[in-house]
Amino acid sequence: MASSTKDGITIRTMTKEDYPSVKAFMKDDFFQTEPLCQSSGEKVQSQNEKENDEYHLSMIAQGTCLVATDENNSGRLVGLVLAGAQYPEDLEKHRIEAESMEQNFATRVCIMLSKMEREANLFERFGISKLLYSHITSVDASMRGKGLGSRLAATLMEVGRAKGFPAMVAYCTSFYSARQKESLGMKCVHSLAYADYKDDQGRPIFTPAEPHTMARIMVIKL
């Protein structure tokens, strides 16, 4: 895709050369502000690191990831989206992977999201054989409230259409991310209240602060 610049912020396709700075950005931003990670008290960015790096690089190779840079500040990274293709066989693949990973907080999140995606089964629900999965969206604190997150999501939809994806999905663990996706026309097709997702002792596994009370699967047809 061609890069686009608005108000000094350029959005372009992410390359593997961007990944070291993308990874550092997520450590300082995404993992510090995402509600589940924030509530864990753990260094989630260090958990399952090898598997995450491989997964993220595989997405970058598909040409479906984006970076936003500030042209008025020496091209500083101020936002990103990691996204990639998903297929019906990935539902079972994700379940097996999540159950076989080292047991830690990040793995518990993966297990919950795997459960949700199997319950939603978007491939069967919409009669499609692939979709574009928006995995992580992160915006620098200095840029929040300025529409950059929405611009990144809208640009990703354009990428999805250009690459022939019939739909785009995002798993929103944050109230605010779900609200943003909804403003772009995405619909909630499945949700799970954190208070209802419990361990063997009947205790909620995730207890993020208000207003983050549930995880939502948001979808839009492209």
Side-chain angles (χ1 to χ4, degrees):
M1 93 170 209
S3 64
S4 67
T5 303
K6 180 183 177 183
D7 299 328
I9 305 299
T10 296
I11 294 178
R12 61 169 174 80
T13 304
M14 188 185 297
T15 68
K16 65 179 181 181
E17 287 75 25
D18 292 314
Y19 190 60
S21 57
V22 163
K23 185 174 177 179
F25 184 91
M26 289 194 294
K27 177 184 176 183
D28 294 337
D29 186 274
F30 177 78
F31 288 107
Q32 304 302 319
T33 58
E34 190 282 322
L36 300 187
C37 296
Q38 199 174 46
S39 69
S40 71
E42 300 180 23
K43 294 182 178 179
V44 184
Q45 69 272 12
S46 301
Q47 297 175 355
N48 309 336
E49 190 171 7
K50 179 175 178 289
E51 293 88 345
N52 285 335
D53 286 344
E54 291 174 353
Y55 186 40
H56 296 160
L57 286 166
S58 74
M59 288 179 159
I60 293 169
Q62 296 173 43
T64 48
C65 302
L66 305 169
V67 291
T69 57
D70 185 351
E71 302 310 317
N72 297 322
N73 193 358
S74 304
R76 185 173 73 92
L77 181 64
V78 292
L80 63 89
V81 177
L82 285 165
Q86 276 198 3
Y87 302 96
E89 57 268 26
D90 288 329
L91 299 183
E92 181 64 8
K93 177 186 173 188
H94 293 163
R95 182 190 69 80
I96 294 170
E97 288 176 346
E99 292 179 357
S100 65
M101 284 192 286
E102 178 185 345
Q103 289 304 303
N104 52 41
F105 187 87
T107 297
R108 291 193 289 276
V109 174
C110 290
I111 290 171
M112 179 188 72
L113 295 179
S114 173
K115 165 185 162 66
M116 290 182 68
E117 70 178 4
R118 292 196 312 277
E119 290 172 348
N121 198 345
L122 301 178
F123 301 103
E124 190 174 286
R125 181 184 298 229
F126 294 111
I128 56 179
S129 59
K130 67 176 182 177
L131 55 78
L132 180 59
Y133 168 48
S134 179
H135 175 49
I136 287 176
T137 300
S138 190
V139 172
D140 186 83
S142 68
M143 297 299 299
R144 288 183 197 141
K146 298 181 180 180
L148 180 56
S150 294
R151 193 176 150 211
L152 282 163
T155 303
L156 183 62
M157 290 177 193
E158 293 174 12
V159 171
R161 291 186 187 101
K163 289 183 175 290
F165 287 98
M168 184 175 100
V169 62
Y171 304 162
C172 297
T173 54
S174 159
F175 169 82
Y176 300 115
S177 64
R179 187 172 67 177
Q180 178 220 69
K181 297 293 191 291
E182 192 173 36
S183 73
L184 293 169
M186 299 186 76
K187 305 293 185 185
C188 179
V189 296
H190 190 67
S191 63
L192 176 63
Y194 296 128
D196 296 334
Y197 187 62
K198 301 176 180 179
D199 63 17
D200 294 339
Q201 283 73 49
R203 299 170 302 196
I205 295 173
F206 304 115
T207 55
E210 295 278 353
H212 312 291
T213 58
M214 65 178 66
R216 298 172 177 86
I217 294 181
M218 308 292 293
V219 179
I220 189 167
K221 290 185 177 180
L222 301 177

